[in-house]
Amino acid sequence: MPTLSLLALTGCTETPASKSTATAEATTVDCDRIAGNGRTFYESNPTYTDPRDDGEDWSSTPPEEQGLDATILRRGLAKLGNNASLLSALVVRHDRLVAERYYRGGGAQRSNNVHSASKSILQALVHIAVAKDDIRSLDDPVIDYLPEYFANASPDKKKITIRHMLTMRSGLDWTEDSTEGTVEKTSNWVRAILGRDLVSAPGTTYNYSSGNTHVVSAVLQKATRMSTCQFAHQYLLGPMGITAEHWGRDPQGVFSGGYNVYLTPREMAKFGLLYLRDGRWGGRQLVPARTPATTASTRRSTQGSSFATTCCPPSPGPAPDLGAPVP
């Protein structure tokens, strides 16, 4: 099922404030209402509708006013339509929405599973929790927050830290898109994940795992005494005028950590702008500055944008030639 959204963010943000800088008050979200049923690790990816039209949050301008070639941009967006999994493509330049194209039933108010892109949201939430002293440090051992899962653990497993989990270096056995099927058959997913064999010393070997980030969500809930969904809407999404239409949840009530979060394309664009602005939104420092650089080593595209290693599994083969950066 098509679920992919593409977002391009270019240029600096040292421009007059656009509508997208407006800060909304954190709203109360009924996380129980939007929660998943905990039957399967991954869901069937239905599409939800955001009742709010956030068009007024954006300043839209012709591409030429922001130094872009409209003809080339139009051709590129048309070519992107050949990607069978693509639902949307947005281009933001100097805080202005200069292009917006939807495919295969996608739309501005259509909310879809953003999958592992939500791992970057989870990373931001952890850094917010550290800034609030709910979590002491990324280098805290996971056992400090979830001791009930380490009663029979080896000394090495007890050394696994939050940072190891976020940077995919926990050392726990995991095969992405396979191990989840084993975990979902248990009544306690966090216990099942932490009960996996330790196949390498924590902190030494990269192995992409949505199990790691789900454990981080459990840590966040224990540390903040709030669900990950509630914490996200109160301290990050709500102040940006973002409301998730759906969020997965496991049988123990732990909200999905880095998957099964449903947002609209424009809401994802807002989150991209937040990182471009180094965590500031509407005059407030929502996420501690330099967060993307502090969690882990990063992969850099030819355009110079950095992506935290918590986001997505490495793509096979060489990176595509994206051409010269736009001035």
Side-chain angles (χ1 to χ4, degrees):
M1 178 177 291
T3 55
L4 178 65
S5 296
L6 180 67
L7 168 67
L9 298 167
T10 67
C12 65
T13 59
E14 299 301 321
T15 57
S18 66
K19 293 180 182 179
S20 62
T21 62
T23 300
E25 291 299 323
T27 56
T28 300
V29 175
D30 186 349
C31 287
D32 287 332
R33 181 184 62 81
I34 68 172
N37 57 30
R39 294 174 184 167
T40 58
F41 201 93
Y42 296 131
E43 301 180 344
S44 59
N45 302 324
T47 296
Y48 296 85
T49 299
D50 187 342
R52 177 175 177 266
D53 181 358
D54 60 357
E56 293 186 357
D57 292 354
W58 292 92
S59 291
S60 299
T61 65
E64 296 89 344
E65 291 186 11
Q66 304 304 325
L68 300 178
D69 188 312
T71 300
I72 293 176
L73 188 57
R74 185 167 54 251
R75 290 173 181 169
L77 290 172
K79 190 171 183 178
L80 283 173
N82 296 329
N83 186 325
S85 66
L86 190 66
L87 292 179
S88 62
L90 281 71
V91 180
V92 180
R93 170 79 163 169
H94 297 149
D95 283 7
R96 271 62 174 180
L97 184 61
V98 299
E100 187 174 23
R101 183 73 63 87
Y102 295 99
Y103 315 86
R104 301 169 187 84
Q109 291 176 250
R110 304 288 276 175
S111 179
N112 288 284
N113 194 340
V114 300
H115 295 290
S116 287
S118 64
K119 287 179 171 63
S120 292
I121 296 175
L122 180 68
Q123 174 191 242
L125 295 177
V126 171
H127 280 271
I128 292 170
V130 171
K132 292 176 72 281
D133 290 327
D134 291 324
I135 293 174
R136 294 181 298 274
S137 166
L138 292 183
D139 296 312
D140 282 354
V142 173
I143 190 176
D144 288 358
Y145 299 89
L146 305 173
E148 62 271 29
Y149 299 122
F150 289 84
N152 299 313
S154 67
D156 281 344
K157 184 176 283 190
K158 292 178 180 179
K159 296 177 183 177
I160 297 174
T161 67
I162 299 170
R163 189 185 302 274
H164 293 152
M165 289 290 189
L166 282 176
T167 58
M168 304 299 173
R169 289 171 171 80
S170 69
L172 293 171
D173 176 56
W174 189 272
T175 301
E176 188 72 3
D177 295 330
S178 175
T179 307
E180 297 93 329
T182 301
V183 169
E184 71 183 15
K185 294 175 183 177
T186 70
S187 61
N188 190 319
W189 296 359
V190 175
R191 183 182 300 280
I193 295 165
L194 289 172
R196 304 289 298 177
D197 290 340
L198 197 66
V199 295
S200 61
T204 63
T205 305
Y206 179 92
N207 181 42
Y208 190 85
S209 166
S210 292
N212 284 347
T213 48
H214 190 66
V215 170
V216 172
S217 180
V219 168
L220 186 67
Q221 293 196 172
K222 181 66 75 70
T224 63
R225 296 181 176 84
M226 300 172 65
S227 75
T228 298
C229 173
Q230 293 170 320
F231 189 80
H233 283 94
Q234 181 165 336
Y235 294 105
L236 178 63
L237 303 183
M240 298 174 65
I242 296 173
T243 301
E245 278 63 58
H246 181 79
W247 199 317
R249 185 169 63 177
D250 77 7
Q252 295 294 314
V254 177
F255 278 80
S256 300
Y259 58 96
N260 291 345
V261 178
Y262 290 68
L263 301 171
T264 67
R266 288 177 180 172
E267 288 173 333
M268 284 299 295
K270 284 183 177 181
F271 188 74
L273 278 176
L274 176 72
Y275 267 39
L276 194 63
R277 296 169 178 166
D278 209 10
R280 293 187 64 81
W281 192 269
R284 295 171 57 186
Q285 191 73 46
L286 296 183
V287 182
R290 316 315 300 174
T291 289
T294 59
T295 307
S297 60
T298 57
R299 294 180 286 117
R300 303 190 72 85
S301 76
T302 56
Q303 297 287 48
S305 300
S306 65
F307 300 86
T309 57
T310 45
C311 171
C312 310
S315 300
D321 182 5
L322 301 179
V326 179

